[in-house]
Amino acid sequence: MASDDAAAVGVVGGWASPFVMRVCVALRLKGVAYEFLQEEPGKKSELLLASNPVHKQIPVLLHGGRPVCESLVILQYVDEAFSGARPPILPADPYDRAVHRFWAEYADAKLPMALRTLRGMIDGDKAAAAEQVAAALAQLEEAFTACSKGQRFFAGDDIGFLDIVLGSYVGWFRAAERITGQTVLDEMRMPRLAAWAARFCGHEAVRDVMPDAGRLVEFGEALRAALAANANAQRM
């Protein structure tokens, strides 16, 4: 991907993070080349701590040596900083932008903790977590009908802000399905959202950065084992 700013763009993150994936998809959608700076799982590099001293979390976008933090903020920054590159990530209409931002924040409020519970990354009631995910996706099925206006994606003919935000969870959906043996994106209950997810995963800006479900399951198992070993070592 060609870009005049290619040498100045970097992404600090981890391949398994849906929040990091968002940044990569946005840059790829804009045609911006970038360097991926992989963090070691369970650790925080000096670069990360220096770039995001407040939250000390991934992702961080580095552009011209300056850090931008928090995935939703980064998506909007990428849209504005590379405004000459098409297509736009956020809708042009102010009302549509507000609606897409609302549903993006809704997804981030309802899905991450419940999905982590389903995958066994944190302790919790798996049945309650499954119900929360199902209820959220049912709402987002209705939102897709309203936002897409009969087109292929939330943003219309091509992926945009809300597509990227919700689509970043699809790998986690699939990993949770493998672990629990239960369907998360049920084609019978939410046919439009299930069809959208398949289209999203096949998009050229997405398919090379969408994590494989089996690899996510293995990553989660390895991370849990490493955290348990570290906790045991600290108690000794």
Side-chain angles (χ1 to χ4, degrees), residues 7-144:
V9 179
V11 178
V12 182
W15 66 268
S17 167
F19 308 106
V20 173
M21 177 189 158
R22 295 173 180 178
V23 180
C24 298
V25 171
L27 291 170
R28 293 167 65 86
L29 189 63
K30 287 288 190 177
V32 177
Y34 61 91
E35 180 182 4
F36 190 80
L37 303 165
Q38 172 72 43
E39 286 286 296
E40 186 176 349
K43 298 183 179 180
K44 300 180 188 292
S45 69
E46 291 298 323
L47 176 61
L48 173 60
L49 296 175
S51 301
N52 189 0
V54 176
H55 295 302
K56 303 178 178 63
Q57 294 177 336
I58 56 175
V60 176
L61 176 75
L62 300 174
H63 185 202
R66 299 186 299 180
V68 184
C69 306
E70 299 296 309
S71 65
L72 297 187
V73 175
I74 295 172
L75 292 184
Q76 295 175 66
Y77 175 84
V78 168
D79 202 23
E80 295 173 4
F82 303 100
S83 58
R86 306 298 286 177
I89 293 174
L90 283 156
D93 180 78
Y95 180 77
D96 288 343
R97 281 202 302 276
V99 170
H100 285 222
R101 284 177 174 138
F102 171 85
W103 286 115
E105 292 182 7
Y106 174 85
D108 277 0
K110 297 294 184 180
L111 295 175
M113 295 299 288
L115 285 168
R116 285 173 64 84
T117 301
L118 288 178
R119 292 176 59 213
M121 299 301 296
I122 57 175
D123 294 330
D125 186 335
K126 286 186 170 55
E131 289 178 6
Q132 180 171 326
V133 171
L137 291 178
Q139 291 279 6
L140 288 160
E141 169 93 350
E142 295 182 14
F144 177 77

Side-chain angles (χ1 to χ4, degrees), residues 183-233:
T183 303
V184 175
L185 270 176
D186 191 327
E187 293 182 4
M188 296 296 293
R189 296 178 61 188
M190 49 200 77
R192 292 182 293 273
L193 207 58
W196 160 83
R199 288 191 294 272
F200 178 81
C201 291
H203 194 284
E204 62 181 1
V206 176
R207 54 179 174 252
D208 290 339
V209 293
M210 174 63 70
D212 174 74
R215 192 180 176 204
L216 277 175
V217 172
E218 293 174 357
F219 172 83
E221 292 172 349
L223 184 58
R224 284 195 301 273
L227 292 174
N230 184 56
N232 288 334

